[in-house]
Structures are given as structure tokens and as C-alpha cells.
Amino acid sequence: MQISVGVIMDPIAAIHYHKDSTLAMLLAAQQRGWALYYMEMSDLSLQDGQAFALMRPLRVMADPSCWFELGEAQRRPLHSLNCLLMRKDPPFDMEYIYATYMLELAQQHGCLVVNDPASLRDANEKVFTSHFPQCAPATLVSRRGEEIRAFLAHHGEIILKPLEGMGGASIFKLAQGDPNTSVIIETLTAHGQRYAMAQRFIPEISAGDKRILLIDGVPVPFALARIPAQGELRGNLAAGGRGEGVALTERDYWICEQLAPTLRRKGLIFVGIDVIGDYLTEINVTSPTCIRELDKQYGLDIGGQLMDAIARRLEA
């Protein structure tokens, strides 16, 4: 029987062909002869206890001038698919959460959802690091300005960031005595109405913020070190960082070993963790990227590895 794979993503016509990880996954699935179906968030619906979607048959091509073709839309139950890739980029807002409720219904009817919908809700990409304090730098999550100031006074230099951000948005470095301290804290906490995360500053950011990809708890042996641009603090590619492939260190493998049992138990099959120096700073579970960059530099097929892991799950 042919395996059917659906994908929920942002508009496929607007992706960046050369670096889009979702496209790499779809090309790998199609290469295996699997049938592909395309959806956007607006295509999902819920009726009488079943999740449906207006889904379009999809064909993908390794062609930067024309990388997809869509067939005629048809409304079908989500659980009519063998597997569903949830690849919608943040913001992680209430609309995203509503979508996970629908995906959970499809999961209950036998569809393998990557990643597990309940775990997408539970594993905030910043706060989830608190489950692994042995791997992370000193961290505080608080709304209270006095607590953040005390944390800053203790560590001297900190990073302050919103819990819902992505791509390096709204990340600040604070040093003790910085005249902007109050306004930055007030802005990120909305005057005490919103939680923010503070982490001890890790100087090794100058060597890059490493993105390590894990497939069913097993790390890809190379990471993409995202090195900040001149005069910039953030290594994120979206913030102008430069990607450079590096082999995983002994410490990187140890961090992955600490995470692996929890990731498997939670059904987090494809995860991207961020490591600066010796420390885990984020665990990305919604739509991790950097497949194409690592494939190109090292001749890998990370999308294919993911499809192999999905096939094993479906067989089990």
C-alpha cells in the first residue's frame, strides 16, 4: 500500500528554495514513492469530532525555477493520511494551538503526526530547556523586573528574550550598569504582564550558535554553526548570521544523550537544538531548519533519514 504524507506549512510558493527544510523532507518522501498532500492552516476544519482538511495532491521538483505542482483540492479527514508533517512556522499563537487540537484528533484515529501535537503545545522552545538544567546555562523566567535585575547583578552580563520569539527577534544583551536596562525589561515583560527569559551570557557565541538536528533522538553528526555578522550579537541566519558546518563535539553528543529519552517519549521525532559553547539554549520543535545547508556541505540526506524514521514508526 502506498504511504500518504500530508504537510501543513506556510505558502509553498513563498519558500526560499535553496534553504527550505520542508522542501527537503518532501523531496525525500516523494523519492520513496509516497503520495504527498499539501495544506495551509486555513485548510483545516473540525466537524462532529473529526478533523478535516482541504488538501491538494502535491508534486515537488528539485528545480529552483519551479519546485512544486498542486492538484485539485479535495476535503478529506486528516486521519485518511498515514503521516502528517506539521511545518507551520511560528508565531506560536492561539491559532497554532487550535490547529494542534485538530491534529490530535487525527492522531487518535491513527495518523502519525510529526511532531506530536500535545508535545508541540507542551514544549515551549525556550522553557523546555528547564527540563535539562544540567545542560543549560543559568536561566531565569520571570515577569518581575526586580528578579531580572538581581539575576543581572549576579551574572554581570545576560541575554534577555521573549518566550515566543523566533529568528533572533527581540533578543537583547544586558550588562550591569547599562542605562537601557529598565526600558528593555519593561518592553519584554510589558511592564510585568508577560514572562521573559534571562540567561547568563555565553561569550562563545562569537564562535557560533550551533544548530544540531536530532531524528528520533539521534543527532546528525554535523551541526550548522551560525556565526554572528560583524557588529551583531545574534547568530541566527534570519538576523544575518553566516552558516558554517562543524562536527559535533563530545559535549554536544552528551547533551543529545540527555535529551533523547524525553524526546522519544514525547513523540518529538524531528528536533533542532541550539548550543552555544557547552550549553543548551533552546529546543526547537515546531519547524526546525538547516537541513539544506548541512546536506550541501557534507553530502547528507537528512530528509531521507527522517523519512526512514517515519517509516519505522509506521511499521511499528
Side-chain angles (χ1 to χ4, degrees):
M1 182 182 71
Q2 186 183 39
I3 292 174
S4 56
V5 177
V7 62
I8 301 168
M9 60 186 292
D10 293 307
I12 192 169
I15 66 173
H16 298 286
Y17 170 83
H18 292 288
K19 65 177 187 176
D20 192 83
S21 292
T22 304
L23 180 59
M25 296 176 186
L26 295 171
L27 287 165
Q30 182 175 270
Q31 190 174 28
R32 283 156 173 73
W34 298 358
L36 302 180
Y37 293 90
Y38 170 82
M39 290 153 274
E40 297 176 18
M41 289 276 280
S42 60
D43 294 320
L44 302 181
S45 59
L46 176 63
Q47 183 174 354
D48 299 329
Q50 286 194 39
F52 291 84
L54 195 65
M55 54 183 78
R56 300 169 180 86
L58 169 66
R59 189 167 74 92
V60 288
M61 291 80 75
D63 181 349
S65 63
C66 178
W67 56 84
F68 75 99
E69 288 180 356
L70 293 174
E72 187 175 347
Q74 48 188 295
R75 188 171 187 260
R76 292 173 48 184
L78 282 179
H79 67 261
S80 65
L81 301 168
N82 297 113
C83 176
L84 187 56
L85 305 173
M86 179 49 159
R87 293 288 299 173
K88 170 70 177 69
D89 283 341
F92 188 91
D93 53 14
M94 285 307 301
E95 291 299 305
Y96 193 105
I97 290 174
Y98 297 148
T100 67
Y101 296 150
M102 300 183 208
L103 300 185
E104 201 164 21
L105 284 171
Q107 181 187 61
Q108 290 171 5
H109 284 85
C111 178
L112 174 64
V113 182
V114 181
N115 285 315
D116 181 280
S119 294
L120 287 176
R121 294 195 300 270
D122 291 346
N124 175 272
E125 302 187 336
K126 311 279 192 302
V127 180
F128 194 30
T129 59
S130 65
H131 290 246
F132 311 97
Q134 72 274 27
C135 303
T139 300
L140 170 73
V141 175
S142 178
R143 292 181 174 192
R144 302 180 67 85
E146 62 269 28
E147 292 183 351
I148 297 172
R149 289 187 181 88
F151 187 82
L152 172 60
H154 180 73
H155 293 287
E157 290 183 312
I158 66 172
I159 293 295
L160 196 61
K161 52 190 174 182
L163 297 183
E164 75 283 359
M166 67 168 288
S170 302
I171 293 180
F172 294 89
K173 178 188 175 187
L174 276 176
Q176 197 168 4
D178 190 319
N180 294 306
T181 296
S182 291
V183 69
I184 290 172
I185 293 173
E186 290 165 4
T187 299
L188 287 185
T189 66
H191 294 272
Q193 300 303 305
R194 193 167 56 213
Y195 291 106
M197 171 175 277
Q199 289 179 325
R200 179 180 65 80
F201 175 67
I202 306 168
E204 290 83 357
I205 181 60
S206 60
D209 179 358
K210 287 185 288 190
R211 166 59 56 83
I212 301 172
L213 299 176
L214 295 96
I215 297 171
D216 225 357
V218 178
V220 174
F222 301 96
L224 193 72
R226 298 162 297 172
I227 301 170
Q230 185 70 30
E232 175 61 78
L233 168 72
R234 303 163 298 172
N236 308 74
L237 300 182
R242 170 174 57 87
E244 183 177 298
V246 295
L248 266 57
T249 66
E250 185 177 339
R251 171 73 176 186
D252 295 335
Y253 279 111
W254 179 82
I255 291 173
C256 293
E257 289 170 2
Q258 300 298 300
L259 271 60
T262 301
L263 299 182
R264 293 191 187 103
R265 186 174 67 251
K266 286 183 167 290
L268 293 168
I269 297 174
F270 187 66
V271 171
I273 67 172
D274 294 342
V275 174
I276 301 174
D278 287 337
Y279 297 99
L280 171 73
T281 59
E282 292 190 15
I283 304 173
N284 299 273
V285 303
T286 50
S287 56
T289 61
C290 296
I291 286 179
R292 301 296 287 273
E293 294 89 342
L294 289 171
D295 280 355
K296 182 178 180 181
Q297 290 193 41
Y298 294 105
L300 304 175
D301 180 17
I302 298 171
Q305 292 175 249
L306 175 59
M307 294 309 126
D308 290 343
I310 287 171
R312 289 192 295 271
R313 289 269 183 148
L314 292 175
E315 289 168 6

